[in-house]
Amino acid sequence: MRLVIDGRQVEVPSGATLLDAVGAAGLVLPTLCHDDRLTTVASCRTCLVDITGRGPAAACSTPAEEGLNVSVNASRQMRRDALQSIVAGLPPRALEVPADRSELARQCADYGVAAIPGSPAPPERGLDHSHPYVKLDRDLCIACGRCVRVCAEVQGTFALTLVGRGANTVVAPGTGGPWAESDCVSCGACVDTCPTGALSEHGLLNLLPIERRTLTTCGYCGVGCSLEVSTRDNEIMTVRPATGGSVNRGHACVKGRFAHGFLGAADRLTTPLIRKNGTLTPATWDEATGYVAARLTEIRNSAPDGFAVVSSARATNEENYLAQKFARAVMGTNNVDNCARLCHSPSAVGLAATFGLGGGTNPFDDLDRCDAVLLVGANPTAAHPVVGSRIFQRVMDGARLVVVDPRRTFLARHADVHLRPRPGTNVAVFNGLSHILVRQGLADTDFLEAHTSGYGELLGLLGDYTPERVAEISGVPADDLIRAALIYGQARSPAIFYGLGVTEHLHGTDGVRTLSNLALLRGAVGPGTGGGVNPLRGQNNVQGASDMGALPDLLPGYQQVKDPAARTRFVQTWQTGLPTRPGLRIPQMFASARSGELKALWVIGEDVLATDPDSTSVRAALDACPLVICNDLFLSPTATAADVVFPVAAWLEKEGTFVNFDRRFQRVRSAVAPPDGARSDFAVLHAVAALMGADLGCATPAEALAECASLAPLFAGISHHRLDREGPLHWPCESAESPGTPRLYQDRFATPDGLAHLAVRPYLPPGEQCDAAFPYLLITGRREEHYNSGSMTRRTGNLRLLAEETVDICPGDAAGLGLAEGDRVELSSRHGTAVLRIRVTDDVEPGQLFAGFHFPDATVNSLTSSVEDEFTGCPEYKLTAVSISSCS
Ligand SMILES: Nc1nc2c(c(=O)[nH]1)N[C@H]1C(S)=C(S)[C@@H](COP(=O)(O)OP(=O)(O)OC[C@H]3O[C@@H](n4cnc5c(=O)[nH]c(N)nc54)[C@H](O)[C@@H]3O)O[C@H]1N2
Ligand SMILES: Nc1nc2c(c(=O)[nH]1)N[C@H]1C(S)=C(S)[C@@H](COP(=O)(O)OP(=O)(O)OC[C@H]3O[C@@H](n4cnc5c(=O)[nH]c(N)nc54)[C@H](O)[C@@H]3O)O[C@H]1N2
Ligand SMILES: [Mo]
């Protein structure tokens, strides 16, 4: 529709407001109570404009209408008066907040509004500085309610409210009491939307002008939030979600937003270390790289397969590309792997077997058009908080939600149906849901006919998975299974999201495949209509580490090491031979070390002693291996056990790219320089190769990605240049003209026959079983406040949010054992012991326990077993039989 703004014709779509129309005319209004992402309340009156013939109207809440004539400039005085009346209720320091951190100060400067001299000071309402990151100055609060709404509508936490009356209205945690004890999850959205600086973050630097802003991608989890990092004198002032960020849409979580203090931790490594007479001793870079190069040269010349490298899903694509090139081209071995092995390797293998490619099928934004979500074995509220918030928003907007998780997670509490299978029984549950889809006539037979194979065999298997039998195996009531299947089956556009509760099992790959069957039966993937099957990949760059070929059987771009055509390309470009035998997986590397065959292990950014299962046997492997090299930021348990330690740069300090969980290549840019003495993994690999007389080529990260693109058809069109110019690109992106492929398999699946292959896999019991000696099932997984080994988050204010690891137990079990909240207990498994305090919660079922693994001192991974997925070697972290006894 068309209307006139200050004499100028503008055109806006239907549904637009006058604020949109004013924006379309290139004018800006103050909007202190308005944020485009939130419902409109129109309470501050600072956006008043004049409509000819109608008078003043709040632009934010007034619908644009065809033919309206609106005066903006002529109504300036009304807005000035509104601003003046707001300022009259505030102390003068409200206008001293730096303009780049206060919309109010900015608008007042623009409108010439100042505090009126001599006016009485408003009553003081005081500060709340209890929280490690967010602070509240109640005297600057104008009760606009933006923080309250963003907490509810974007974050989904409902932690805040407005209290008091009239001029005394102020934001407060809904629980009463100090902020630190509230339900706040520290996402920072309230600070980001606050227009006055009433909510801000701690740190003196924040009072100074920002010197530089760097747009980068978060280095914690696989969501891949776009962040804007403000710096001054090579120090980080704030990290905020970038406006318009492609995945996160201006939102973030406590880790990306606040947990960057580890960069300047006093115990950050800045000097290489070499073990001399049993002790790690500081060395120069020349000594350390020279020593490693000499030892690796000996191994290369005698038995190249005596060398292995664990590459890092924390590091960039370009670093992973170099790490696998180092293993293959310099050392002559395919012994290279990354932590996808411990995490979503069953997704890579399972999804590729079913659909053709080893990534999630749909872009995350497809969630917006989904009317049902099946969330399985994932707790995104804690592990992928921005995804968790967006799923919760969809549910609040009316989408149905089925959660499959033994624990009552936040989203499980809000689900239409929560299925709580006994850990390790997923395959029975998925086959049971498939059985019901077929029985209820909800299978899309046209789709199955046109696009899949194996339906007939699957029908044969599914006969055995009646709801009653599945209920017996899994403990999930038959009626709940039926309700869940109907929600998924009857939805117009259902989506599946899943996590480690599916993959980290003896039958993890079967789990992925039988879960994928549901999407195929329903025709809700690829050429069908739904939201597909989407693994919530874990690490910031675990997708990328695998994409780059840091895998023992695959070259960059998922090309088989045995594939002659691919080999020819690599041999020509690299100008070296290429080993043909697939290499060792991480657990096989340790086994090879224990048996004396592995002579050197280079661990780049993985704390194997803290995070790999059955840590007693990992330690035996490191002890047995004659040369362990470790690149890390800190003296992690693994670094402590190494023979050479290289101090390296972190994600905020380097250039490159990551690939997030929905296959998006995104740029990572250095916001600050690394501390003196630390170098990037990229530089370390180059230096060692050069001393071994090899040239890895690819002088810069941009050149490394270019070389990878020239060798891997899936990424052929991706370059730093394009990412800088166009923003994120989803692979496959096969040419410089390709816009990337957010949604896979639009026409056909990527298998050789173009069909998706339904998996006909029976339920088989898990590896660990309870018995009289070990009667409890321990599940391990994530806490929101800490990240994996905790090496970063424990060195930040997050430690104040969660200071130690606990084991969760339900009230009945605790009472039966005579235990109370906070008691110390010893957990024992067939593999080791751990001492922790208990947390009593009905999140866990009777007979089950839950612990995180973010505090290595709690030695949770000495409990976990070496049972692993039969196809991929992914550990069965999700269930361990344990006993529990009081330590008092
Ligand atoms: N805050 C934080 N965020 C993280 C991480 C972190 O350490 N901290 N780590 C990152 C990494 S590397 C990863 S891989 C992701 C992981 O993210 P998620 O996969 O969401 O993480 P988990 O908490 O390990 O496991 C998810 C859920 O699986 C459930 N589960 C256990 N066994 C079963 C089962 O047999 N069946 C079913 N259906 N469910 C089961 C658990 O109860 C748990 O709620 O998170 C990433 N994000
Ligand atoms: N019990 C149990 N154990 C688990 C899991 C579970 O669910 N239960 N989950 C498993 C999963 S899914 C995963 S992915 C693993 C994760 O396990 P890890 O990969 O070991 O854990 P992180 O703490 O993410 O990172 C490892 C190390 O990398 C360092 N680092 C960070 N950035 C960089 C960098 O840029 N370069 C280098 N060289 N180092 C860097 C950190 O300081 C840290 O010491 O844990 C696994 N362990
Ligand atoms: Mo992971």
Side-chain angles (χ1 to χ4, degrees), residues 339 342-343 500 504 538-539 782 788:
C339 79
L342 315 176
C343 180
L500 301 178
E504 287 179 341
Q539 300 270 37
R782 277 133 186 96
N788 291 341

Side-chain angles (χ1 to χ4, degrees), residues 266-346:
D267 61 349
R268 178 88 191 264
L269 291 175
T270 52
T271 316
L273 304 168
I274 302 181
R275 189 169 299 278
K276 289 184 182 153
N277 302 321
T279 310
L280 282 175
T281 312
T284 64
W285 273 97
D286 285 347
E287 279 173 308
T289 48
Y291 178 74
V292 168
R295 297 278 305 264
L296 295 187
T297 305
E298 280 167 30
I299 294 171
R300 176 182 62 187
N301 295 342
S302 53
D305 286 332
F307 170 79
V309 55
V310 177
S311 193
S312 182
R314 308 303 305 272
T316 60
N317 286 322
E318 295 74 4
E319 290 168 332
N320 278 284
Y321 180 76
L322 277 201
Q324 62 83 37
K325 184 172 179 183
F326 180 87
R328 294 185 162 117
V330 180
M331 293 300 295
T333 177
N334 281 312
N335 291 342
V336 52
D337 205 355
N338 77 87
C339 79
R341 183 68 50 208
L342 315 176
C343 180
H344 273 282
S345 51

Side-chain angles (χ1 to χ4, degrees), residues 153-198:
E153 296 173 21
V154 173
Q155 169 53 36
T157 299
F158 300 91
L160 304 178
T161 184
L162 291 177
V163 296
R165 286 165 164 266
N168 258 331
T169 311
V170 68
V171 61
T175 43
W179 198 284
E181 289 165 24
S182 73
D183 296 336
C184 169
V185 295
S186 317
C187 69
C190 55
V191 172
D192 298 336
T193 196
C194 177
T196 66

Side-chain angles (χ1 to χ4, degrees), residues 628-820:
V628 177
I629 309 156
C630 178
N631 293 17
D632 208 299
L633 282 57
F634 300 104
L635 204 58
S636 64
T638 304
T640 310
D643 301 291
V644 180
V645 180
F646 289 119
V648 291
W651 59 279
L652 284 156
E653 301 162 342
K654 55 191 179 186
E655 293 286 322
T657 55
F658 294 153
V659 187
N660 82 333
F661 80 104
D662 73 357
R663 295 174 282 103
R664 251 176 261 223
F665 271 82
Q666 307 197 91
R667 275 284 272 130
V668 176
R669 298 185 181 88
S670 124
V672 287
D676 284 345
R679 297 186 184 171
S680 65
D681 294 302
F682 196 84
V684 180
L685 285 159
H686 263 303
V688 172
L691 290 171
M692 292 175 71
D695 180 4
L696 282 173
C698 322
T700 63
E703 287 177 33
L705 190 63
E707 183 176 296
C708 176
S710 75
L711 291 167
L714 279 183
F715 318 131
I718 294 176
S719 64
H720 280 221
H721 181 67
R722 269 193 83 183
L723 295 169
D724 284 336
R725 217 181 41 209
E726 300 170 32
L729 287 168
H730 294 255
W731 69 254
C733 180
E734 275 135 348
S735 71
E737 293 71 45
S738 161
T741 318
R743 199 171 296 129
L744 293 180
Y745 321 125
Q746 292 282 70
D747 305 321
R748 66 197 293 276
F749 290 100
T751 52
D753 59 9
L755 301 176
H757 302 301
L758 287 153
V760 185
R761 302 294 302 175
Y763 162 74
L764 296 166
E768 285 265 309
Q769 300 287 346
C770 291
D771 59 16
F774 301 103
Y776 285 86
L777 258 192
L778 171 71
I779 304 173
T780 60
R782 277 133 186 96
R783 310 270 184 201
E784 169 149 29
E785 297 82 353
H786 290 288
Y787 194 80
N788 291 341
S789 70
S791 71
M792 292 163 154
T793 47
R794 283 183 288 102
R795 289 179 171 87
T796 68
N798 287 32
L799 194 59
R800 278 179 57 200
L801 299 171
L802 186 72
E804 63 176 345
E805 194 49 81
T806 51
V807 54
D808 299 353
I809 184 169
C810 75
D813 284 348
L817 291 162
L819 295 170

Side-chain angles (χ1 to χ4, degrees), residues 66-355:
E66 181 72 34
L68 284 189
N69 193 344
V70 178
S71 307
V72 174
N73 269 331
S75 54
R76 189 175 166 86
Q77 187 61 34
M78 293 192 296
R79 296 191 293 279
R80 191 177 184 283
D81 291 348
L83 284 167
Q84 187 74 65
S85 69
I86 288 169
V87 167
L90 297 174
R93 68 175 192 286
L95 298 186
E96 289 157 17
V97 179
D100 56 10
R101 267 144 283 173
S102 164
E103 243 168 277
L104 177 73
R106 226 164 33 240
Q107 292 300 346
C108 285
D110 191 21
Y111 277 76
V113 170
I116 295 171
S119 54
E124 285 189 19
R125 299 183 291 190
L127 309 170
D128 182 341
H129 281 195
S130 62
H131 189 277
Y133 296 123
V134 177
K135 61 183 175 155
L136 168 64
D137 180 344
R138 296 187 185 87
D139 297 337
L140 300 190
C141 178
I142 60 170
C144 66
R146 274 165 72 166
C147 52
V148 177
R149 279 175 287 142
V150 85
C151 188
E153 296 173 21
V154 173
Q155 169 53 36
T157 299
F158 300 91
L160 304 178
T161 184
L162 291 177
V163 296
R165 286 165 164 266
N168 258 331
T169 311
V170 68
V171 61
T175 43
W179 198 284
E181 289 165 24
S182 73
D183 296 336
C184 169
V185 295
S186 317
C187 69
C190 55
V191 172
D192 298 336
T193 196
C194 177
T196 66
L199 285 165
S200 61
E201 54 206 90
H202 292 286
L204 286 175
L205 268 181
N206 291 323
L207 301 173
L208 300 170
I210 293 167
E211 211 171 67
R212 195 161 79 97
R213 294 173 205 265
T214 308
L215 188 63
T216 190
T217 304
C218 184
Y220 279 108
C221 82
V223 173
C225 293
S226 305
L227 300 175
E228 185 186 89
V229 186
S230 303
T231 50
R232 193 179 165 81
D233 294 336
N234 201 39
E235 292 234 24
I236 293 184
M237 306 172 75
T238 59
V239 178
R240 293 198 164 190
T243 38
S246 82
V247 199
N248 51 318
R249 298 181 176 170
H251 195 38
C253 83
V254 59
K255 297 183 298 303
R257 174 76 168 77
F258 292 116
H260 48 78
F262 68 86
L263 287 181
D267 61 349
R268 178 88 191 264
L269 291 175
T270 52
T271 316
L273 304 168
I274 302 181
R275 189 169 299 278
K276 289 184 182 153
N277 302 321
T279 310
L280 282 175
T281 312
T284 64
W285 273 97
D286 285 347
E287 279 173 308
T289 48
Y291 178 74
V292 168
R295 297 278 305 264
L296 295 187
T297 305
E298 280 167 30
I299 294 171
R300 176 182 62 187
N301 295 342
S302 53
D305 286 332
F307 170 79
V309 55
V310 177
S311 193
S312 182
R314 308 303 305 272
T316 60
N317 286 322
E318 295 74 4
E319 290 168 332
N320 278 284
Y321 180 76
L322 277 201
Q324 62 83 37
K325 184 172 179 183
F326 180 87
R328 294 185 162 117
V330 180
M331 293 300 295
T333 177
N334 281 312
N335 291 342
V336 52
D337 205 355
N338 77 87
C339 79
R341 183 68 50 208
L342 315 176
C343 180
H344 273 282
S345 51
S347 295
V349 168
L351 295 172
T354 294
F355 301 119

Side-chain angles (χ1 to χ4, degrees), residues 351-400:
L351 295 172
T354 294
F355 301 119
L357 290 170
T361 60
N362 283 55
F364 182 47
D365 282 351
D366 276 2
L367 175 68
D368 293 346
R369 18 168 234 148
C370 286
D371 55 345
V373 171
L374 176 59
L375 178 70
V376 189
N379 182 17
T381 314
H384 302 87
V386 166
V387 165
S389 293
R390 278 186 57 188
I391 291 178
F392 185 56
Q393 275 179 54
R394 278 300 299 137
V395 173
M396 289 197 293
D397 287 347
R400 314 290 304 277

